[in-house]
Amino acid sequence: MRHDPTMGEQAQDWTRRDVLGLLPTLGLVACAGTRGAEPLKFWAMSYEGDYSPMLMPAFTAATGIAVDVQSLPATASHEKLLTAQAGGAMPDVLMLYNGWVQEFATIGAIAPVPSPALVADMFPGVLDATHVQGRDFAVPWSVAPQAQFYRRDILTRAGYSAPAEDWDGWLRMGHAIKRQRPDDFVFMLLLNWPDTLITMLGQTGATMLRDHDTRGNFQIPEARAAFAYYVRLFAEGLAPKALSTEIQDPVAAFAQGYFAIWPTGPTTLLDLHRRAAEIPAERWGTARLAGPHGLGAVSGLSTSLCVSASTPRPAEAWALVRHLSSPASELRYQRLIGNLPARLSAWSSPQLRAPILAPFKEQMRFPTAAPKVIEWERIKLEIQFAAERVVRGVQTIPQALTGLDTRVDQLLAKRRALVEAGTLA
C-alpha cells in the first residue's frame, strides 16, 4: 500500500468542513460517548477493501469512532457475506457490487437507506441498480464503466486516429490492424471476463429474461446477434481463445502490443500509470466502447455501500456511509484506485477534467440495465460458459442458446414458483 502525502491535510479539511454534515446522522451518539467503544466493522472487496483504511483516519478524528476494516478476496466474498448473514456475524457496514444489492435486500441482510439526502446527487443509472421494490437499499460508491483502452501507435500505423465507434467499423479496424501485425491479436476479450459480452447483449436490446424475470430469453434475434458478433471476433483471429489464467499480466501484454484494444474499467488507468516505464502515456488513449450502430450503453462493475440490518449501531454506521460516499472521499479514492465517483457533484473537481477520463464520464450516463433478480450472478456465469462453448467449437450458437435458456430456467425455478403463487411481484 503506497503512502499518500495528502492524507494528513485532507483529514484536517474533512474534520473542519464535513463533521457538521454528520450530526444529523449521528444524533445523540456523540453525547453518549463513542470514544473508546468497539470499532465499527467494515468489509469491502478488491482495491476498495485494500485502500479503505486510508479513508478512516478523517472519520475517526471527526467522530471519535474507530473503524475496523476487513478486505475480502473478490472471489470468496459473496459466500463469506452469505455465511456471515446466516451466522449473525455481519459487519456494521459493507460494500456490495451493485448486482448483489437485490439479493441481500431480499434476504433481509441490509437496511433501507434512511434519508433521501444520502442518495441525492447520483448518476441516475447507477442509482437505479440499488433500488429494490420502491426503496433504496444502498448508496452508490464507486463506478467502473467499461471503455476501450487503445494503442495510439498501433492504430495510427493501421490508418486510424481513434477506435471505430460501431461494430462493423470495429471489424474493419481489427482486420486492418491484423494485416499490419499478423502474429498478434487486436482485442483483449478473455473468455472468463464476460462483461463485454454482457454489454453487447444490452446494446442489441436483448431482454435476457421473460415472464416476469422467471425464464431465460436467449433464443431471440437480439441475443443471437450479440453472440454471433462476439464469436466472430474470435473466429476471425482478432481475439485469442484464452482465459485470464493464460494471460496473467494483461498490462504487460498491452504494453508489448499483443493487443491493440482492451475493453476494461477505469482501475486500469492506475495500472498503466504505475507502469509508465513499460508503456508511456503517449502510446495509449481511451474511448467509449463501440455499439451495433454507434456508441451506446455499456455494463460495468459498480459498487455501493450498505448498512447491515442487524447492526446495533445504525446511526454510526450511516455516518460512516455518509463519510465514505462524500465527494471528498470519492475523489481521494479516485486517486488511490482509479474508480470513479458516483456523485455528480464530484465531477466538477479539476481532478476529473483530464481528457483521458472524458469517455468514462460520458459512458456513466449510458449504463446497461441488468435484470434485478438474485440469481443474476449465476446467470452471468452461464452466459460466459455458453459463449466459451461456441468459441471453442463445442456447440453452435442455437445449441448454446437453447441450453442456456434451459439452465437459466432451472436457476429461476424458485423465483418462478413464488411469482406463480403470487407471493413475489
Side-chain angles (χ1 to χ4, degrees):
M1 184 179 299
R2 67 177 186 175
H3 171 68
D4 186 341
T6 66
M7 180 157 53
E9 177 185 344
Q10 287 189 341
Q12 186 181 42
D13 288 347
W14 192 89
T15 300
R16 290 172 179 165
R17 291 181 296 173
D18 296 334
V19 68
L20 292 177
L22 291 178
L23 294 179
T25 306
L26 285 170
L28 298 178
V29 170
C31 297
T34 59
R35 296 181 188 273
E38 285 292 315
L40 283 175
K41 291 185 173 132
F42 175 57
W43 290 2
M45 291 77 85
S46 191
Y47 281 155
E48 287 88 344
D50 293 341
Y51 285 88
S52 288
M54 301 181 77
L55 300 181
M56 301 308 172
F59 177 76
T60 301
T63 65
I65 303 170
V67 183
D68 179 19
V69 178
Q70 184 172 348
S71 182
L72 308 181
T75 53
S77 56
H78 186 267
E79 186 64 29
K80 183 173 177 66
L81 286 166
L82 289 177
T83 301
Q85 169 65 10
M90 285 284 274
D92 301 287
V93 180
L94 59 151
M95 173 191 122
L96 289 180
Y97 295 116
N98 282 2
W100 299 0
V101 172
Q102 165 89 14
E103 176 181 8
F104 281 80
T106 300
I107 65 175
I110 53 177
V113 176
S115 168
L118 280 167
V119 293
D121 186 34
M122 299 287 180
F123 279 90
V126 175
L127 186 59
D128 179 70
T130 64
H131 209 60
V132 181
Q133 295 185 347
R135 303 186 75 179
D136 296 304
F137 276 85
V139 176
W141 189 23
S142 66
V143 184
Q146 279 193 319
Q148 49 182 329
F149 287 72
Y150 65 96
R151 286 285 301 267
R152 295 182 187 275
D153 51 346
I154 295 176
L155 264 65
T156 297
R157 287 197 292 271
Y160 288 82
S161 59
E165 297 182 348
D166 62 70
W167 284 5
D168 286 343
W170 235 38
L171 280 173
R172 288 192 299 271
M173 177 187 67
H175 285 295
I177 294 171
K178 189 72 173 176
R179 285 192 294 271
Q180 293 280 327
R181 305 168 66 88
D183 296 330
D184 295 318
F185 293 96
V186 179
F187 303 109
M188 191 185 299
L189 304 175
L190 303 178
L191 291 172
N192 58 332
W193 291 1
D195 283 341
T196 302
L197 175 56
I198 300 296
T199 284
M200 290 175 176
L201 285 162
Q203 288 178 334
T204 62
T207 304
M208 291 175 270
L209 303 180
R210 61 184 175 88
D211 297 347
H212 302 288
D213 291 340
T214 64
R215 293 186 181 276
N217 194 39
F218 289 93
Q219 297 179 70
I220 58 174
E222 295 87 350
R224 287 199 302 270
F227 263 72
Y229 184 79
Y230 179 78
V231 171
R232 186 176 177 184
L233 297 173
F234 294 91
E236 297 184 6
L238 302 178
K241 299 177 182 180
L243 305 173
S244 61
T245 52
E246 299 169 79
I247 303 176
Q248 296 184 5
D249 191 345
V251 174
F254 189 62
Q256 294 162 11
Y258 190 53
F259 302 95
I261 304 285
W262 182 5
T264 185
T267 56
T268 302
L269 292 167
L270 192 63
D271 294 329
L272 289 171
H273 286 311
R274 284 173 172 169
R275 296 169 67 171
E278 296 177 52
I279 177 167
E282 62 268 18
R283 291 188 188 172
W284 58 273
T286 59
R288 288 182 60 191
L289 204 59
H293 308 292
L295 300 173
V298 305
S299 67
L301 194 62
S302 300
T303 70
S304 289
L305 295 164
C306 306
V307 167
S308 169
S310 60
T311 178
R313 303 161 69 182
E316 296 169 66
W318 285 113
L320 178 58
V321 170
R322 184 187 297 275
H323 164 59
L324 292 174
S325 63
S326 68
S329 291
E330 288 195 335
L331 288 168
R332 179 124 186 275
Y333 235 7
Q334 193 273 327
R335 286 195 297 273
L336 289 170
I337 68 173
N339 275 6
L340 300 169
R343 288 197 183 277
L344 284 162
S345 57
W347 284 87
S348 62
S349 168
Q351 175 181 325
L352 299 180
R353 291 178 190 164
I356 206 76
L357 294 175
F360 293 100
K361 180 181 180 181
E362 185 64 19
Q363 199 60 72
M364 285 167 65
R365 300 181 185 277
F366 302 97
T368 57
K372 290 186 177 181
V373 298
I374 64 176
E375 300 85 358
W376 176 238
E377 291 303 311
R378 295 176 66 188
I379 292 171
K380 283 174 63 177
L381 285 176
E382 293 298 338
I383 294 171
Q384 171 193 316
F385 296 150
E388 184 177 356
R389 284 191 287 270
V390 178
V391 168
R392 296 193 185 279
V394 176
Q395 289 183 319
T396 64
I397 290 176
Q399 289 170 335
L401 295 183
T402 299
L404 179 55
D405 272 345
T406 298
R407 284 184 291 278
V408 171
D409 286 354
Q410 293 168 349
L411 289 174
L412 294 172
K414 184 174 181 179
R415 175 181 176 82
R416 189 163 56 251
L418 291 172
V419 170
E420 291 172 353
T423 57
L424 182 66

